[in-house]
Amino acid sequence: SDIIDEAQKTAPADAGRAELLCGTLAQTSDADQCYDSVARLASQSSTCGKVADARTKDSCYLYFAINKDEFGVCTSIEDPNLQSSCYSFKNLHDIQTASEQPAQA
């Protein structure tokens, strides 16, 4: 718990150090929770790839697609339903972006 707290405090300024702290955790579930929170706090989707649990990893990637418009992560999502949802969010984003563009004369 102390290590996770320290990693979360460190993440915004030094994601690499925060990831190293997560890596020292003996329990995989604790490390996964740590990596997931560090990814979000540091705004680095690449950290999601360090999560071992597939469901937690997919959730981490989906967070970046929905909240950061980072749709390149959709290919990294393993669950077919979540991956489909990720692409749906991308399509919706693309439609909204296109509708905000001024009409071409």
Side-chain angles (χ1 to χ4, degrees):
S1 176
D2 290 342
I3 292 174
I4 294 173
D5 290 343
E6 180 65 23
Q8 290 173 339
K9 288 177 194 160
T10 306
D14 189 351
R17 182 171 184 278
E19 286 181 16
L20 289 174
L21 287 167
C22 294
T24 66
L25 294 164
Q27 291 286 331
T28 304
S29 59
D30 291 341
D32 285 352
Q33 175 193 346
C34 186
Y35 285 128
D36 182 54
S37 60
V38 165
R40 295 170 194 235
L41 290 167
S43 292
Q44 288 194 330
S45 62
S46 59
T47 304
C48 297
K50 296 183 180 290
V51 175
D53 178 70
R55 184 175 291 168
T56 305
K57 184 186 295 187
D58 286 352
S59 171
C60 186
Y61 283 129
L62 196 57
Y63 166 84
F64 283 92
I66 295 170
N67 297 293
K68 304 289 184 182
D69 296 337
E70 198 175 315
F71 300 107
V73 301
C74 294
T75 59
S76 300
I77 295 175
E78 294 177 28
D79 181 279
N81 293 322
L82 288 179
Q83 188 178 62
S84 177
S85 295
C86 188
Y87 285 119
S88 294
F89 281 111
K90 179 190 183 309
N91 292 338
L92 179 62
H93 176 266
D94 291 349
I95 290 167
Q96 288 174 332
T97 303
S99 69
E100 293 168 4
Q101 301 293 325
Q104 297 293 321

